Amino acid sequence: MPHLARPAALALVLALAVTGCGADVSSEEGKGDTPRASDDHYPVTVENCGEKKTFERAPRRVVTNDVGITEIMFALGLEDHMAGYVMPDDKGDLTTVPWRDGYRKTEWLSKERINKELVLDARADLVFAGWNYGFNEGEGFTPAELRRVGIDSYLLSESCRNGQGKARGVMAPLDALYTDLRNLGKVFDVEDRAETLVGAFREQVAEARAKAPKGADRPRVFLYDSGEDKPFTSGAFAGPHDIITKAGGDHIMKDLEDSWTTVGWETVVARDPEVIVINDYGDTTAEQKRRFLKSHKPLANVSAVKNDRIVVLDYVDLVESPRNPAAVSSLAADLRRFGS
């Protein structure tokens, strides 16, 4: 399924966002100092997961964790402000995105879990990660621990905790993406770039919505991430919720006030999805997940399984990332095809 493809016009807009807007991208001091911020821009303050954060200057050695977070930086043209990124090597095709040069220019620090020693070795001044996107109390890698050793942090907005235990999510998923683009645009003095991206993404989503199924024609859709005894899926605050609903689907787990969470198969069966979206990543392939869904006896009478309406999106399409708007377009096309 060609869900990674971008319309030529959008690719051009993104390229212009990186090369033609915002701060001066020349530098006399080398990597870590571009784009050069205007003297009167700082200090700046942004709100991140309910916390006001003030920056006296643009961070110069950012370490990012995971593919979606890394591509937010690349989409803003900020690879020269990065010390490197951490991600496994199972995150799909990295060569077809408009910001693919960021991968060539930026060091891949590790394919293992991010940790304090790694970011200290990288001489990081900021870590861009999220709760369960690198930050984890159980492993002792938290913003508070980084602050103790003099390293700042920025939390992925999709991962903000909402005060109900460790449940995550405080805003609609695409709003989280736009919030992070705008916040980082301000932090790095590239606000014009951020606004250009947000405008292009909103337009792409609006075009998809205009063609999407509506009303009673909206199919019920379930996001299957992983798990056999119990499925891991998306609630209302993870990317799939907005991707499904803006593509013209009815997200069957929209009542779950969390981002990524586990449910029971009995709930899935009772809500009878007409389409299932597989999250493609990890050691279990999308085809293995498809075979499991089609052979799992409790799902035998579920409409999506009976009618073989199962589609695949890559992990990076579904977590908060600049690929989310294209995923809306891709899924909308699939839902139109199923409805024809």
Side-chain angles (χ1 to χ4, degrees):
M1 179 171 55
H3 55 272
L4 295 180
R6 295 295 197 278
L10 179 63
L12 177 60
V13 168
L14 298 182
L16 290 173
V18 172
T19 61
C21 304
D24 183 355
V25 296
S26 63
S27 173
E28 298 176 358
E29 300 180 39
K31 182 172 180 176
D33 298 313
T34 57
R36 187 166 56 233
S38 58
D39 293 338
D40 59 354
H41 182 71
Y42 296 94
V44 298
T45 300
V46 298
E47 183 171 332
N48 179 218
C49 290
E51 179 185 357
K52 298 285 188 181
K53 298 183 70 70
T54 298
F55 294 83
E56 299 297 331
R57 67 173 190 176
R60 300 185 180 191
R61 295 192 60 80
V62 181
V63 171
T64 57
N65 183 70
D66 211 2
V67 59
I69 291 169
T70 300
E71 290 190 2
I72 289 173
M73 292 290 288
F74 291 166
L76 285 167
L78 296 174
E79 55 266 24
D80 286 335
H81 281 262
M82 294 176 62
Y85 61 89
V86 177
M87 71 172 73
D89 58 4
D90 64 347
K91 299 303 185 183
D93 184 3
L94 306 180
T95 64
T96 60
V97 291
W99 43 87
R100 58 188 174 275
D101 283 351
Y103 287 106
R104 178 178 57 81
K105 296 176 182 177
T106 310
E107 185 175 357
W108 194 343
L109 297 172
S110 176
K111 299 179 182 180
E112 306 299 327
R113 289 182 181 274
I114 193 171
N115 57 59
K116 184 172 72 174
E117 291 71 24
L118 182 150
V119 299
L120 285 170
D121 287 346
R123 296 181 290 116
D125 57 0
L126 180 98
V127 173
F128 181 12
W131 291 115
N132 286 28
Y133 290 92
F135 289 132
N136 188 316
E137 289 99 341
E139 297 178 3
F141 188 72
T142 65
E145 179 60 21
L146 289 179
R147 189 160 50 244
R148 193 181 67 79
V149 295
I151 301 173
D152 209 344
S153 59
Y154 183 89
L155 283 161
L156 185 75
S157 287
E158 182 197 286
S159 79
C160 296
R161 288 178 173 166
N162 58 30
Q164 301 181 44
K166 292 186 178 181
R168 295 173 292 163
V170 295
M171 64 183 77
L174 282 174
D175 287 345
L177 172 64
Y178 303 151
T179 294
D180 286 335
L181 288 169
R182 286 176 166 139
N183 275 351
L184 293 167
K186 189 172 183 181
V187 169
F188 290 94
D189 195 16
V190 290
E191 290 172 277
D192 286 349
R193 296 181 186 178
E195 288 302 325
T196 299
L197 286 168
V198 171
F201 291 156
R202 286 187 181 280
E203 182 178 350
Q204 185 175 19
V205 171
E207 289 175 358
R209 292 187 73 181
K211 302 174 185 176
K214 295 175 176 63
D217 293 330
R218 292 169 64 89
R220 298 181 301 277
V221 182
F222 172 63
L223 185 285
Y224 177 62
D225 179 286
S226 58
E228 296 192 357
D229 292 338
K230 291 184 176 181
F232 194 63
T233 189
S234 162
F237 293 115
H241 174 74
D242 267 357
I243 291 167
I244 290 167
T245 56
K246 294 185 187 306
D250 177 13
H251 181 207
I252 68 167
M253 298 299 173
K254 59 183 177 289
D255 58 327
L256 296 179
E257 295 186 354
D258 202 343
S259 58
W260 298 91
T261 189
T262 299
V263 297
W265 283 119
E266 62 276 8
T267 302
V268 178
V269 171
R271 298 182 181 190
D272 189 26
E274 296 165 285
V275 178
I276 295 176
V277 178
I278 289 174
N279 186 3
D280 186 13
Y281 75 103
D283 294 333
T284 305
T285 67
E287 183 55 34
Q288 288 172 323
K289 291 178 181 180
R290 182 192 295 271
R291 287 200 299 267
F292 165 73
L293 292 169
K294 290 182 70 66
S295 64
H296 192 46
K297 289 184 178 179
L299 299 179
N301 292 316
V302 165
S303 297
V305 173
K306 286 196 301 183
N307 296 314
D308 196 26
R309 292 183 171 180
I310 300 173
V311 299
V312 178
L313 288 171
D314 280 346
Y315 172 91
V316 66
D317 297 323
L318 295 166
V319 297
E320 184 192 321
S321 85
R323 301 200 206 187
N324 295 157
V328 175
S329 299
S330 173
L331 183 58
D334 284 322
L335 298 186
R336 289 197 305 272
R337 174 169 55 87
F338 289 146
S340 61

